[in-house]
Amino acid sequence: MAFQTIEKFKSRILTSGLASPNKFEVSITKLPTSRAMRRFKNTLQNIALMCESVSIAGRTVQSTLDTTYGYRREIPYNFPTYNPVTLTFLCSEGLKEKAFFDKWNDRVVSQKGGFDNEYYDNIVGTMIVKTLNRTNSDTNNYTITYNEVYPKTVSSVEFNHSTQNATLRVNVEMAYSYWTTNQL
């Protein structure tokens, strides 16, 4: 019996393959509308190329413990919650990637505007993360679309004289309203 199970497993791997964690593509397809953000339109393709890692989001259903009588049960209620998405970008000369996300983050709560919050519809964009298969074809891809996304946190970048052959990286935590996928 175990032999048949191993053979089935082998056959499944040969026919469908395994997903690879280094085959993905990140694209920001919609930016907030503003003159300041429009100047970064050409930067978007480079942003996608410089994305080193991304952890795609999960979803948590809120629940409460029901202890009225008998067995204790977790009862779902209300709406799901979503954790922010963390992305890591390699930085090119001039830190264009950091500048892009700093500008967008400043649009959310601007220093120049006396730290007033911008209207929500004026700060959000759309971001898509797509898995790629080993042949880079568009079949069997998992695509997740983050709706109403904005950079909640842009990390600091550390400089160090003792480091010689390293690349600067910036971490960005993106908040969003909800996500959709082509698999549901």
Side-chain angles (χ1 to χ4, degrees):
M1 186 69 171
F3 180 72
Q4 288 178 344
T5 307
I6 291 171
E7 289 303 316
K8 284 182 184 178
F9 178 71
K10 239 170 81 174
S11 173
R12 171 79 175 158
I13 299 301
L14 288 172
T15 55
S16 3
L18 295 172
S20 179
N22 69 341
K23 301 277 188 183
F24 68 94
E25 176 180 87
V26 173
S27 56
I28 298 172
T29 58
K30 180 185 167 227
L31 280 176
T33 54
S34 79
R35 203 173 321 140
M37 290 306 294
R38 264 186 252 131
R39 72 181 181 136
F40 287 105
K41 279 270 188 204
N42 297 333
T43 309
L44 285 179
Q45 186 175 9
N46 293 334
I47 292 288
L49 289 172
M50 300 306 271
C51 186
E52 180 181 49
S53 67
V54 60
S55 54
I56 60 173
R59 183 181 133 146
T60 303
V61 174
Q62 295 182 55
S63 63
T64 185
L65 188 59
D66 179 15
T67 59
T68 48
Y69 182 76
Y71 293 109
R72 293 178 179 189
R73 294 182 181 98
E74 288 281 330
I75 306 297
Y77 74 95
N78 214 346
F79 50 86
T81 58
Y82 303 100
N83 295 331
V85 175
T86 302
L87 301 104
T88 302
F89 293 92
L90 299 170
C91 291
S92 58
E93 289 285 331
L95 303 179
K96 293 178 183 87
E97 297 75 19
K98 181 160 175 39
F100 169 76
F101 287 107
D102 281 342
K103 190 65 169 173
W104 190 354
N105 182 271
D106 186 61
R107 178 114 173 103
V108 176
V109 179
S110 178
Q111 276 181 289
K112 293 176 188 167
F115 299 103
D116 289 337
N117 290 2
E118 179 60 74
Y119 288 109
Y120 184 77
D121 289 345
N122 295 338
I123 62 167
V124 295
T126 305
M127 182 175 74
I128 298 173
V129 178
K130 180 168 108 175
T131 63
L132 304 172
N133 60 27
R134 295 186 188 279
T135 61
N136 292 332
S137 69
D138 279 340
T139 58
N140 297 327
N141 289 341
Y142 181 86
T143 301
I144 187 166
T145 302
Y146 296 96
N147 299 287
E148 300 177 22
V149 68
Y150 66 91
K152 180 179 178 182
T153 305
V154 180
S155 73
S156 57
V157 175
E158 183 179 330
F159 291 91
N160 186 337
H161 282 295
S162 65
T163 307
Q164 294 191 6
N165 292 322
T167 302
L168 287 175
R169 289 169 172 76
V170 63
N171 293 319
V172 179
E173 188 177 83
M174 301 292 273
Y176 56 95
S177 178
Y178 64 99
W179 56 261
T180 56
T181 179
N182 63 338
Q183 299 295 317
L184 295 177

